[in-house]
Structure formats: structure tokens, C-alpha cells
Amino acid sequence: MTAISFTLNGRPVSTDIEPHRNLVELLQRFDLFGSRESCGQGLCGCCTVLVDDKAVSGCLYFAVWVDGKRVATVEHLDADGRLSPVQQAFIDTGAFQCGFCTPGFILMAHQLLKEHPNPSDDDIRHYLSGNLCRCGAYPEIIEAVKLAAKATSKAAA
Amino acid sequence: MIPFEMVEATSLKEALSMLDPQEPAIRPVAGGTALMLMMKAGVFQPTRLICLHRIEPEYARITLGASGELRIGAMASLREVEKDANVAARLPVLHRAMRTLSNVRVRNVARVGGALAHGDPHMDLPPILAALGARISVAGPKGERQLPLEQLYTGYYETVLDRNELITSVLVPPLNGRKAAYMKVTSRTADDWPSLGVAVSFALADGAIRDPIVVVSAATEKVTRMSGVEKVLQSTAPEDAALRRAGDAAADEVQTLSDAHGSAPYKRELLRVYLRRAVRQALNESVH
């Protein structure tokens, strides 16, 4: 067991964890299930988590490595009681069916819009190429990201 | 994954002292993205991992030397290489490849040194850097040594590194007008491990290719420099017939391996065609 302390969705937390556990397993201990291990190989993006503002695959990230870091999951996005522009855009465009992959797509879209506030189609495809949606909602997801970009730039103006 | 111990080195020296030349179940870990896949598959079962995240930050820096040589610290993440202004301006072939080498999340975490030391012939960085004439700096108990990257690999997931040695940096010489390109082929999805990788670099003088470096990966047991193909290309004008001869020479020179990404004969034909395409791509790109 290794003792770790980190910031989880804005709140300081401490726990003990075995070195062979990954970040998804750590989050489950805090009743956070938005990050899901699906392919287990970093390909599908369902386990996306932000560590120090960078998107990582939670299934390929040792839990002990978040010691001293800031961890954010999809659950932090509506912490103030309001959906984020990306979340709202996913609803407005119907960018999901079963919803299993949605948290990962939403966090990757947040990372994209932070780095490219007005993303091109190519930027969107590039950032989301590591996320798989087995319902095939890709056209709506791309629309959602564009809508969120518009909403965000309008809010900032 | 089965349980193991993880210890954190706080300096390069400490990391080296924690490694054991005789013990394969003790291994260093940088980004861990490749190692975790092996551990999940049960192919690698460590007793102890030596985490390198907290060694001196200089080993993660990317710096430009006075001679135009880029020194890429082994602990630099792939994303840091991708975003580095000097890499983008001076080594466009490397900058471009980063986008196709894995997704953003993996690039945020995976480190250059790990990608080289892992010895997986399917990875993209080794052939590209080898074709650019890169050397690596390796630290061990007896000090530091340098070797050409192309000499690192001895077999499938096998390198010349001792178990208590670590790559500290990659040194990439300036292109100095040389043309360079990397092409890979994936047979299932675009983000799959490649069936073939081909990297080339060469100078052009009076319309003829000079001093080519040609490297093949993924289709072969290890990243391999093709000196026979280089001889065919040397001092020839890159016209269709000459490139066809070079492609045929490439298909004859190396032994391709069958795996889930394609049969050996299929990969041999890919090499025949993609060698030509890689040379053409190098000619068409506007690098200085």
C-alpha cells in the first residue's frame, strides 16, 4: 500500500492504494464512475481523466502517480449546478445513444477547446480520434463540439 | 495486473543504483503506457518498478545546441516533442509524425526514452530518429556512453542496453538541407499498430540523391537500416525507374515477418511500394 494525497475535483483527498491499481480503479473508490475501463489499452477513451489539466487514459495510468497532482473527472463539470457548454451541446445535438463513451468524449472536447477555442474539422477529428463510439454518433459529436465552441466564444465575448 | 512494488527514484544516479543487472523482474518505468499493456496481458510480471518521474527535470528538456543539434531529454513526453517550436521548425518529419503515432492521451503520458528503450519494432519514433542520424546517450554505473540509435536494437524487443542502464537523451543532428520522410501502413484501422514503417533521409546534389539513410520498421524483427537500398539510391536521380529498382532491392534485402497486421509476403510488397512513396514524399515536402 502506498499513501497518496491529491486534489480530486477541487477537493483535497488522501487514501492508500496498491501500486498495481490504475486510475480508474482509484476513482471507483471515491464513488466516481464517469471514467470507465472499456478497451483497457488506451484506444477507446472511455476512461479519460484530466491529470494536471492534461487528458490521460485512466486505464493506462498508475493510481499512485496522481500523488500531489490535480485530478478532474467528468463529474466536476457541473459542480456549480450547471452543465458545461460541451455537456449542453451534446444534449442539444443528441450526440449519444447509450452514453457509455460520452464522458470520455466530453473531457477530450474540453481539452480540445482549451487548446483550440475555434477548432477546425481536422482539429476535432484529431483530438477525438482516440475515442470510440460504438453507437456511431460521430457526426452528432462533431456537431456538438462545434456548437460548444460557438457557445464558449460567445460567452467569452 | 498482479501486485508488485513501485519505488520512486529522485535522481538519475539513484535510479541507476536501484536497477539490478541480473534481475529482469525489476524494470524502470517512464510513461508506462507500453509497459502496462504488457503487464495487463501477463507478458511482463515485475516484482518492482523504478519510477523515473522525479529524477532531475533536465532529463525532460528539449534544447537546441549551437551546432543546430537538438537534444531531446528521454523523459520528455511525446506531446512535449510535438509542441516544441524547434522540433516543428527544424524537424518537420518528426513533428508531423507525432500526430499519427498515438492519440493525444497517450502522447501526454508516454516518454521518448521509453518509446526507444522498449524495443517494440512497431513503434514510429525509432525508425524516424534513426533515419535522421540520431544518437542516444546512455547512462550506467560506469558513466555515460553514446551510440547511434540504429545500433540500439538487436532483436524483437531486444536492445544492447544492460538492465542497469538508462537512455538519458536523444541527439538529433540538423537536417542541413537533407530531405526526410516517414510513411507507415496500418492494415486495420488508422490508429492500429503498423504493418510497415519506412523512414528515409537524403541530400540532393545536382538532382541526384546523396548519402541516403533508409530504415524499415514494423514489418521486420527489429528496426533495420537497409544499406543495400542505400547503395542503389546513392548518386541516382530519383526518377521512376530508379525508385522502382530501390523498391525491389528493399523487398529483397530484409526478411519480413507475418503477424496480425499482415503476412510476410504482403509486407514485402508493401515495402516495395512504400519505399518509393517515402522517397517521393521526402522530395515533395518543403523543408529547409
Side-chain angles (χ1 to χ4, degrees), chain A residues 47-120:
Chain A
C47 63
T48 301
V49 180
L50 304 181
V51 176
D52 281 353
D53 298 322
K54 288 193 200 101
V56 308
S57 290
C59 79
L60 285 188
Y61 199 89
F62 288 114
V64 292
W65 283 352
V66 302
D67 186 38
K69 295 195 161 76
R70 278 175 294 116
V71 176
T73 67
V74 71
E75 287 90 349
H76 89 288
L77 292 176
D78 64 347
D80 63 356
R82 286 186 351 191
L83 296 177
S84 78
V86 176
Q87 289 176 309
Q88 189 59 52
F90 267 65
I91 293 171
D92 292 346
T93 55
F96 50 84
Q97 287 181 47
C98 81
F100 189 85
C101 68
T102 312
F105 271 99
I106 285 179
L107 285 177
M108 284 310 291
H110 271 270
Q111 169 117 78
L112 165 68
L113 294 177
K114 206 177 98 205
E115 294 173 23
H116 303 277
N118 295 300
S120 65

Side-chain angles (χ1 to χ4, degrees), chain A residues 42 55 57 59 115 126-127 130, chain B residues 31 40 79 103 105 107-108:
Chain A
S57 290
C59 79
E115 294 173 23
H126 172 210
Y127 272 70
Chain B
K40 286 182 174 194
R79 194 80 166 135
N103 63 48
R105 289 183 309 279
R107 300 208 296 277
N108 278 338

